[in-house]
Amino acid sequence: MALLSYNEITPKKIIVYNNEPYLVLSSWVFRKQQRKPVNQTKIRGLKSGKVLEISFHQSETVPEADIEKKELTYIYRSKNEVWFHEAGNPGARVSFPEAVVGDKMRFVKEKSDVTALVWNGEVIDIDIPIKVELAVTEAPPAVKGNTAQGGSKQVVLETGATVSTPLFINTGDVVRINTETEEYVERVEKA
């Protein structure tokens, strides 16, 4: 377990704070007048989901979490649980409460691979691909009107998620979605 000094605590690092893994969301190192530098951070508990604002001073160090990554395949969702199996081993099934995996699974199709983050033998979070390609199942027809700023409409994807897309997207089109921003990126050309 590596120790991180105050200025090495940067976004996307996972640290151990109060014996719990936290993901660093943002950090800002600054100095107030004639004082020593401080790293003002915003961290999210991977087990609890709590977001904290913590200041780390120049003399402080914090351990970096030893995170192991494990490939899982998404199977289905049932009764507030999300079920996976180990990649290549359908018999080794694992379920998580929906609270653990959160809203991000709404952009993942069944039989898609995800990465599980394991800390001390316990799965604490699920990483999904940043960009996914999904088919549009419902799209209202484009309506002529005030499109000077570019029109948009809400469409339903094959996973049930809804996103805002340009007016030219129709039912049956395949679109690329950024799962971090939950926004439409582009239409994927059919092969």
Side-chain angles (χ1 to χ4, degrees), residues 74 77 103-110 112 132-138 155-163 177 179:
Y74 172 52
R77 177 178 296 199
D103 240 10
K104 47 179 111 167
M105 292 307 294
R106 62 195 192 112
F107 293 111
V108 179
K109 292 191 280 188
E110 291 180 0
S112 295
V132 294
E133 294 177 3
L134 298 170
V136 176
T137 57
E138 293 177 34
V155 299
V156 179
L157 304 173
E158 63 185 298
T159 60
T162 59
V163 293
I177 304 294
T179 59

Side-chain angles (χ1 to χ4, degrees), residues 138-157:
E138 293 177 34
V143 177
K144 288 185 178 180
N146 183 8
T147 57
Q149 284 81 33
S152 65
K153 61 183 178 180
Q154 293 288 320
V155 299
V156 179
L157 304 173

Side-chain angles (χ1 to χ4, degrees), residues 70-138:
K70 187 185 219 178
E71 290 300 316
L72 297 178
T73 302
Y74 172 52
I75 308 172
Y76 63 91
R77 177 178 296 199
S78 171
K79 297 180 183 170
N80 298 329
E81 286 188 322
V82 181
W83 286 85
F84 300 89
H85 68 73
E86 289 182 13
N89 185 2
R93 291 187 173 199
V94 180
S95 73
F96 302 108
E98 276 188 355
V100 172
V101 293
D103 240 10
K104 47 179 111 167
M105 292 307 294
R106 62 195 192 112
F107 293 111
V108 179
K109 292 191 280 188
E110 291 180 0
K111 298 185 179 136
S112 295
D113 290 335
V114 296
T115 304
L117 302 179
V118 181
W119 182 68
N120 289 348
E122 177 183 358
V123 175
I124 54 171
D125 200 13
I126 300 288
D127 269 353
I128 64 173
I130 294 173
K131 290 190 178 168
V132 294
E133 294 177 3
L134 298 170
V136 176
T137 57
E138 293 177 34

